[in-house]
Amino acid sequence: MKRFSFWLMCGVLFSLTSCHISPYQRVAGGNPIVPIRLNADTTIIYVTDYVPLLAAVDSTLPETMMIVDEGQLTELIFQDHKATVSIPVLPNKPICFGMYTIGCTDNSVTIGFAPGAKQPQVMAYVQNRRLLDACITANEDGTVTISHFPTYSGRTFLRVFAVDSTHLYNDVLVPLQNGRPVTETTLLNRHDNEAQILYSLMVDRFDNGNTANDWKMNSPEVLDIVDYQGGDFAGITRQIEAGFFDSLGITTIWVSPITQNPWDAWGKYVFKHGNKYDPSKTYTKFSGYHGYWPIYVTKLEERFGTEDEFQTLLDCAHAHGINVILDYVANHMHINSPTYQEHPNWHTDSILPDGRRNFELWDEARLTTWFDVHIPTLDLERLDVCDPMTDSALYWLDHYDLDGFRHDACKHIPECYWRMLGQKMALRYNGRHIWMIGETYGNPQLIGLYVKSGMLHAQFDFNVYYAISNALCNGGSMVDVDKNIRESLTAYGSHHTMGNISGNHDQMRFASLAGGAVRMSDNGKEEGWTREVGIGDAHVAYRRAILQEVLNMTLPGVPCIYQGDEYAEVGGNDPDNRKMMRFDAQLNEAERAYKDEVRHLIAWRRHSMALLYGEYQPVEVTNDVLVFDRVYMGERIRVSIDKNNLTYHIESL
C-alpha cells in the first residue's frame, strides 16, 4: 500500500488528465462532498473517504494525505481539463452557532452573524465547486450576501462556511431548485435526505398480509414470543396501500433484514427467575425471525414472501412517495451458511492471544469479536473475504429499486470494507439516489469515522438519545442534552442526517422508562421475560415520551420512529420490545391521542423549512429547561422544553 504525507498550506491542485468525464459530474454522484474536519494540528486523511470515484479511476492519487491546520478555511482542489472540484477543509476550532440565513432572492442569499463576530472569513460552494470571492459581498451592517451562483438544473446545494480568529461557525446549507433557493417545502421530495422521516419496522412483527407463508417452528425449545409471528412483505404493502405511512407523515421505511435465516433454533437464554410465558421452561432457544442470522445473503426469507411480493412492496412505496431502505448484515454469517461451509476459514479468531474467548468484547476487540458461537464474525480485513461480501450487498441494489441501506454493527466492521463498498457504489451507481445509515455505539469520534462521502451518509445518534433518556426518565439534566447536541453538530456538521431515534429493537421501550415501569439501570431482558412491563404512571409516561418526540422532530438530523413508539408501546428489552404491531382499531383512547400528537409534530417538521434546513441556535439551558431556535431565510422557530412541568412550546417568532 502506497502512503504519502502531504502538507496543505492553502489550495492544493492535483491534475486528473486521465479522467474523460468532468470530476464535477463524477465525484460523489454530484452530491456535496463531506468537508474535511481537522481534529489536531496535523490530520491524516484517506482520499477515498472523500472522493471514492476519483480514487477509483485515477491510480496516481495518493491514498493518504497529511494536512496542516493553519487556523483558516482552506480547500483541497482536484482539477482536470474540464472542471475543478474542491473539498472544504475546516480548522480545528471551537464551534460558534452564530451564522444563519436572513433572506434570499432568486440568485442570492444573505447571511447574518451573531453579535461579536470578528470579520469572519467566508467560503461558499455550490455542490463541490467554490464560488469566486467576487460572489461574496460584505455589507455595511455586518451581513454577507452570496450571489451569482451557477444555475444547475434540478436539486443542488449552496453551502457556506465561515471562521474568525476565535471560532469556526456552524455551516449553512441551502437547497437549490434549478439554481434558485428553495423556500417552500412543496418543492422537496423523497430524495431530499434532510427532509426524511424514517420509520423502523421488523418485518415478522409488523403485519401478516399473507397467511399462506406462515410457518412457525413449534419447537418445545422455542417459546412462541421468539418464534415467527407471520409478518411479511404483503402486510407492509397492505399498510402502505391503507395509508398508514402517509397519514403519519413517513417518507422512508427501514425494513429489518430479509435474507434467508436458518430453519432451526439457535442460541439459548437461561431464565434466572423463571419466565411469564411458560413457567415450566427453564430456557428458550430462538428462531431467526429478526433476520440477523443470514444463511443465504442474496436470497429472500421464504416466510416473508416472494421476489414478486417484495417488488410489489417497493413499487407501492415509491408510488406513495416513500423510500425503502434495507437492513443489511455484513459483520457475520450463520455457521451453517453454505458460503461459510465452503470457506470455513473466513472468520476472525474466536480466541484472543491471551487465551480468553473473543465473545461480546464490543469495545476491547470490536473488529474481531463474535456476537455468538453460531454467527462467526467475518474477517473482512482480508481482501478475499471483503470483495465478495461487498458484492453481496450490491446484489440487492442490482436486483431491486431500493433507496439505500441501514447497515448493522458498523463499528465491528473494518474501515476497508466501507471504503471498498463506497468505491464500488460510486462506480456502479453514480447519480442514483442511495442513502446509507449505520449503527455504531460509541463516542462521536468513533461514529464519525464512518460518516464520509466514500462511506456512510449518517449513523444513529445514540449519544443524544441516551442524554435525552437520562434527562427525561432518570433525573438527568437538560444541560447534558444541550452538550450532546452541540457535540454532534460539531462532529457531524450542522446539517447532518444522523438518526434521532425514539427507540429501537435493542432498547427498552421509552414509554415504560418514562412512566417508571422499568428503570434505565434495570436488566431490560430479564424484566421483559419475568413480568408484564407496563406504562407505570401513564400521564407522566405520555408527557415525557412526547417531549422526546418534540426533540427528535425539531433537532437537525433525521427523525426515526421505531414501530409502535408512535402510540407509546410499552415493554422491556428484546424480545419484549418486539411485540406484534398494533394498528388504530387495537389502540386505546390514550394511545390514539398520543399518536395524533406525534402526527402533529411530524406535520410541523415536514411543513417548515426552518425545522428541515434551518440553523440551530441555542437560546437557554438549565437543569430542567432547554430552549433553541431553528432559523431559515428569516423564518425563526423557537422550541422550548420544560421537563419539570412536562410541557413544550413550538412557535414561529
Side-chain angles (χ1 to χ4, degrees):
M1 179 180 292
K2 296 182 297 183
R3 295 186 182 277
F4 298 85
S5 293
F6 195 87
W7 296 82
L8 178 71
M9 298 298 182
C10 52
V12 181
L13 192 67
F14 282 94
S15 176
L16 298 180
T17 55
S18 62
C19 292
H20 299 294
I21 299 176
S22 164
Y24 169 73
Q25 296 172 304
R26 298 179 67 83
V27 170
N31 295 316
I33 304 172
V34 171
I36 297 170
R37 301 176 183 277
L38 303 184
N39 51 33
D41 292 340
T42 59
T43 299
I44 295 177
I45 68 155
Y46 278 75
V47 174
T48 53
D49 292 353
Y50 300 93
V51 284
L53 188 53
L54 287 183
V57 300
D58 194 305
S59 60
T60 66
L61 281 177
E63 292 189 54
T64 61
M65 296 180 184
M66 180 181 290
I67 302 180
V68 167
D69 187 354
E70 292 292 309
Q72 296 294 307
L73 295 171
T74 52
E75 58 181 341
L76 195 60
I77 302 173
F78 299 87
Q79 186 179 59
D80 68 0
H81 61 289
K82 293 184 179 180
T84 299
V85 168
S86 303
I87 308 175
V89 180
L90 310 183
N92 183 25
K93 287 186 173 183
I95 291 284
C96 174
F97 297 97
M99 183 167 65
Y100 54 96
T101 54
I102 293 176
C104 64
T105 67
D106 279 353
N107 195 244
S108 73
V109 171
T110 299
I111 305 293
F113 293 89
K118 303 172 182 178
Q119 297 181 322
Q121 174 201 4
V122 176
M123 286 171 46
Y125 291 77
V126 172
Q127 299 301 85
N128 304 312
R129 303 186 74 177
R130 182 183 170 187
L131 303 184
L132 297 174
D133 289 341
C135 298
I136 303 174
T137 304
N139 304 314
E140 291 184 359
D141 60 0
T143 63
V144 170
T145 298
I146 302 166
S147 58
H148 301 99
F149 35 82
T151 55
Y152 300 117
S153 63
R155 174 71 76 250
T156 53
F157 292 92
L158 170 69
R159 296 186 294 164
V160 185
F161 305 93
V163 65
D164 63 21
S165 59
T166 308
H167 294 97
L168 172 68
Y169 286 84
N170 59 280
D171 57 284
V172 165
L173 180 73
V174 178
L176 307 174
Q177 181 65 28
N178 299 328
R180 298 179 178 182
V182 175
T183 58
E184 300 292 336
T185 58
T186 53
L187 293 176
L188 302 175
N189 58 56
R190 68 184 177 92
H191 291 163
D192 287 299
N193 295 332
E194 292 80 6
Q196 293 184 91
I197 307 291
L198 184 60
Y199 191 91
S200 165
L201 62 83
M202 185 163 281
V203 178
D204 179 65
R205 303 304 168 94
F206 189 66
D207 188 28
N208 189 350
N210 180 9
T211 57
N213 59 32
D214 291 1
W215 178 17
K216 285 182 177 290
M217 287 187 172
N218 291 319
S219 166
E221 290 191 301
V222 179
L223 289 179
D224 187 66
I225 188 64
V226 288
D227 203 345
Y228 286 88
Q229 300 299 311
D232 49 30
F233 303 143
I236 300 171
T237 301
R238 176 164 66 185
Q239 293 303 325
I240 296 172
E241 292 174 333
F244 170 82
F245 299 101
D246 290 335
S247 65
L248 195 55
I250 301 303
T251 66
T252 302
I253 301 170
W254 151 25
V255 297
S256 58
I258 59 175
T259 53
Q260 184 68 57
N261 271 230
W263 289 350
D264 51 351
W266 291 84
K268 187 175 184 179
Y269 188 88
V270 178
F271 303 115
K272 299 183 180 71
H273 307 291
N275 76 87
K276 64 189 180 188
Y277 299 101
D278 185 346
S280 69
K281 303 292 185 183
T282 59
Y283 72 92
T284 187
K285 290 187 176 182
F286 302 84
S287 71
Y289 72 92
H290 43 69
Y292 289 98
W293 300 340
I295 284 274
Y296 297 100
V297 294
T298 58
K299 180 181 177 183
L300 290 172
E301 168 61 63
E302 292 185 15
R303 290 177 172 89
F304 296 163
T306 64
E307 292 184 3
D308 286 344
E309 285 175 315
F310 187 55
Q311 188 58 58
T312 297
L313 186 165
L314 295 174
D315 292 343
C316 185
H318 292 161
H320 282 250
I322 297 172
N323 301 311
V324 179
I325 64 172
L326 175 64
D327 200 326
Y328 186 75
V329 182
N331 176 75
H332 53 260
M333 190 179 293
H334 194 276
I335 201 167
N336 282 348
S337 163
T339 301
Y340 181 76
Q341 294 292 315
E342 186 178 347
H343 305 281
N345 66 338
W346 271 16
H347 62 79
T348 59
D349 200 335
S350 63
I351 304 296
L352 293 175
D354 61 10
R356 289 181 297 150
R357 296 181 64 187
N358 190 7
F359 286 81
E360 299 186 0
L361 300 178
W362 309 126
D363 296 306
E364 181 182 352
R366 68 180 180 88
L367 295 179
T368 60
T369 195
W370 288 29
F371 283 40
D372 210 331
V373 293
H374 61 283
I375 43 174
T377 289
L378 299 174
D379 190 355
L380 292 166
E381 291 189 283
R382 290 171 43 184
L383 178 62
D384 62 325
V385 181
C386 191
D387 192 33
M389 288 307 297
T390 49
D391 284 343
S392 296
L394 299 185
Y395 165 89
W396 296 97
L397 296 178
D398 284 341
H399 287 76
Y400 299 101
D401 190 18
L402 286 158
D403 302 285
F405 290 113
R406 179 269 187 185
H407 287 289
D408 186 55
C410 288
K411 78 173 186 179
H412 303 295
I413 298 170
E415 291 172 59
C416 61
Y417 173 90
W418 302 114
R419 292 189 175 109
M420 181 181 288
L421 180 65
Q423 194 171 97
K424 287 181 176 181
M425 290 181 68
L427 283 166
R428 193 177 302 186
Y429 310 116
N430 191 36
R432 176 175 169 182
H433 177 263
I434 299 171
W435 184 71
M436 300 200 296
I437 187 167
E439 175 206 36
T440 292
Y441 292 85
N443 59 42
Q445 290 70 40
L446 176 62
I447 294 170
L449 282 177
Y450 305 97
V451 184
K452 307 279 178 62
S453 299
M455 294 188 184
L456 304 174
H457 299 97
Q459 298 219 63
F460 295 103
D461 201 334
F462 293 113
N463 295 308
V464 169
Y465 169 77
Y466 287 132
I468 293 172
S469 300
N470 188 52
L472 297 179
C473 308
N474 199 41
S477 172
M478 296 302 283
V479 173
D480 190 47
V481 175
D482 174 72
K483 171 178 173 288
N484 277 271
I485 292 170
R486 293 176 189 241
E487 286 180 350
S488 288
L489 295 172
T490 299
Y492 317 123
S494 299
H495 294 277
H496 61 68
T497 56
M498 304 291 284
N500 298 320
I501 65 172
S502 66
N504 68 19
H505 58 275
D506 293 323
Q507 307 291 333
M508 291 183 280
R509 287 285 186 173
F510 192 88
S512 293
L513 288 169
V518 67
R519 298 169 298 180
M520 291 181 69
S521 59
D522 286 338
N523 182 326
K525 284 184 179 290
E526 192 68 15
E527 296 289 328
W529 279 117
T530 56
R531 64 182 179 89
E532 295 296 332
V533 178
I535 200 164
D537 185 322
H539 172 72
V540 171
Y542 287 126
R543 297 328 301 160
R544 285 177 174 170
I546 208 67
L547 293 185
Q548 184 214 37
E549 292 293 5
V550 169
L551 286 166
N552 287 347
M553 296 297 162
T554 57
L555 289 173
V558 173
C560 178
I561 297 174
Y562 173 51
Q563 68 170 60
D565 281 350
E566 72 273 22
Y567 57 79
E569 181 63 273
V570 297
N573 209 325
D574 168 20
D576 204 39
N577 58 1
R578 304 177 183 183
K579 299 168 185 171
M580 202 69 185
M581 178 71 179
R582 293 184 289 129
F583 297 96
D584 285 353
Q586 301 164 291
L587 305 182
N588 62 40
E589 183 178 351
E591 291 169 329
R592 286 194 293 271
Y594 183 88
K595 183 178 178 182
D596 285 341
E597 196 164 2
V598 170
R599 184 184 291 113
H600 177 70
L601 290 172
I602 294 174
W604 248 107
R605 183 177 182 93
R606 289 196 60 184
H607 294 94
S608 169
M609 288 297 294
L611 292 180
L612 295 173
Y613 288 97
E615 282 67 60
Y616 176 89
Q617 293 189 329
V619 175
E620 177 188 358
V621 64
T622 67
N623 282 340
D624 293 330
V625 174
L626 177 65
V627 183
F628 59 88
D629 291 348
R630 300 290 304 279
V631 184
Y632 184 82
M633 301 299 176
E635 178 191 7
R636 182 176 292 269
I637 301 294
R638 177 153 294 176
V639 181
S640 306
I641 306 284
D642 186 332
K643 77 180 185 76
N644 184 50
N645 293 314
L646 301 177
T647 58
Y648 71 91
H649 297 282
I650 305 174
E651 54 186 332
S652 180
L653 299 183

